[in-house]
Amino acid sequence: MTGSPSEPEVGTTPHDDDQPGALEGRAQERWPENTLPASPQSSALEVVEVREGMFGVRGTGDTSGYGLLSRPVVMPSPTPRPYGGWFDEVADRLEAVLSGTLDTPGEQGPVEKVVVDRGEITFFVRRQHLLAVVRQLRDDAGLRFELCSGVSGVHYPAEDGRELHAVYHLLSMTHTRRIRLEVIAPDSDPHIPSIVSVYPTADWHERETYDFFGLIFDGHPALTRIEMPDDWPGHPQRKDYPLGGIPVEYKGATIPSPDLRRSYT
């Protein structure tokens, strides 16, 4: 007599994929999440700005209710130790390899603060130390973040002296880890060192961030616009860019043949 219906037939083996959550479990083994302790110490929040109305537009006489919206723009404060999981290991190793990079005693360290939020870790790096930091992150055997998968920009017009942020996403294929770097520059001096010499994949990402936010990446091999026309005024993803009302700027325009366009080199 055969076994119960829940048992496999003789000569067969139950397939792992038939078990609930089996596929998710194997994916988790290949690419573990950045897990934290059961009760991590949460970061406090710093209010940068309070935005009112829809899209920040005020005084429109809007009677729909959107004009009464009020939303704070918050930034997480530095996270206290321990960060949890492998975050402390990476932070300790990075601190150790950067300990000899300061030129002058008493100079501010390369890392301004570390924020752990929503299971992710972000290192706020002072812009003058950015190249030294990314070289160590790429080359040190204990870190080995071999790939920069993207560079993006953020604009906080009310954060006086810290209006422009460049955000870098780094991946370690050796250790199966992801971290984020954030570098800050003021509107009055929007310069950040280019990391293309360390991570060539940042080439077009830096161009896009320059195009949309006006961040100037010093040392980039060809920092030209990548989305907007060369003579486009302003940077359209900044919060102070005008909404709508832009006249048509392509009327009568011609596009030159490929051999006459600007050379990327």
Side-chain angles (χ1 to χ4, degrees), residues 134-149:
V134 295
R135 285 195 187 104
Q136 293 292 352
L137 285 169
R138 183 195 65 181
D139 297 340
D140 184 78
L143 297 169
R144 281 283 189 265
F145 286 90
E146 303 98 336
L147 174 67
C148 176
S149 60

Side-chain angles (χ1 to χ4, degrees), residues 123-211:
F123 294 88
F124 284 73
V125 178
R126 292 185 171 89
R127 55 179 172 169
Q128 65 268 30
H129 298 292
L130 177 59
L131 279 175
V133 171
V134 295
R135 285 195 187 104
Q136 293 292 352
L137 285 169
R138 183 195 65 181
D139 297 340
D140 184 78
L143 297 169
R144 281 283 189 265
F145 286 90
E146 303 98 336
L147 174 67
C148 176
S149 60
V151 183
S152 55
V154 192
H155 184 216
Y156 297 97
E159 194 177 9
D160 189 33
R162 300 169 60 88
E163 293 89 355
L164 294 169
H165 293 221
V167 183
Y168 304 80
H169 304 272
L170 304 184
L171 165 66
S172 170
M173 292 174 281
T174 298
H175 301 293
T176 321
R177 296 169 175 173
R178 294 181 187 270
I179 64 171
R180 182 186 297 110
L181 306 182
E182 195 155 338
V183 182
I184 295 167
D187 265 340
S188 58
D189 182 25
H191 291 263
I192 290 177
S194 170
I195 66 168
V196 171
S197 61
V198 180
Y199 292 113
T201 53
D203 189 340
W204 285 19
H205 295 281
E206 287 184 352
R207 287 181 59 197
E208 183 178 56
T209 305
Y210 158 72
D211 193 355

Side-chain angles (χ1 to χ4, degrees), residues 226-239:
I226 193 171
E227 299 282 354
M228 311 304 292
D230 288 343
D231 59 350
W232 188 270
H235 304 279
Q237 286 194 356
R238 290 172 58 103
K239 294 294 189 297

Side-chain angles (χ1 to χ4, degrees), residues 13 27 30 48 69 71 77-78 84 86 105 112 115 124-125 141 150-151 159 165 173-174 178 185 200 218 224 250:
T13 303
R30 289 195 299 269
V48 174
L69 289 176
R71 182 175 67 86
S77 299
W86 52 262
E112 176 188 350
V115 173
F124 284 73
V125 178
V151 183
E159 194 177 9
H165 293 221
M173 292 174 281
T174 298
R178 294 181 187 270
D218 296 329
T224 55
Y250 292 98

Side-chain angles (χ1 to χ4, degrees), residues 87-128:
F87 292 164
D88 290 284
E89 179 184 341
V90 169
D92 290 342
R93 183 62 186 170
L94 183 59
E95 182 178 346
V97 298
L98 292 175
S99 59
T101 62
L102 300 184
D103 298 328
T104 309
E107 183 184 357
Q108 292 180 319
V111 178
E112 176 188 350
K113 66 178 179 178
V114 179
V115 173
V116 176
D117 190 47
R118 295 172 175 83
E120 299 178 338
I121 187 167
T122 302
F123 294 88
F124 284 73
V125 178
R126 292 185 171 89
R127 55 179 172 169
Q128 65 268 30

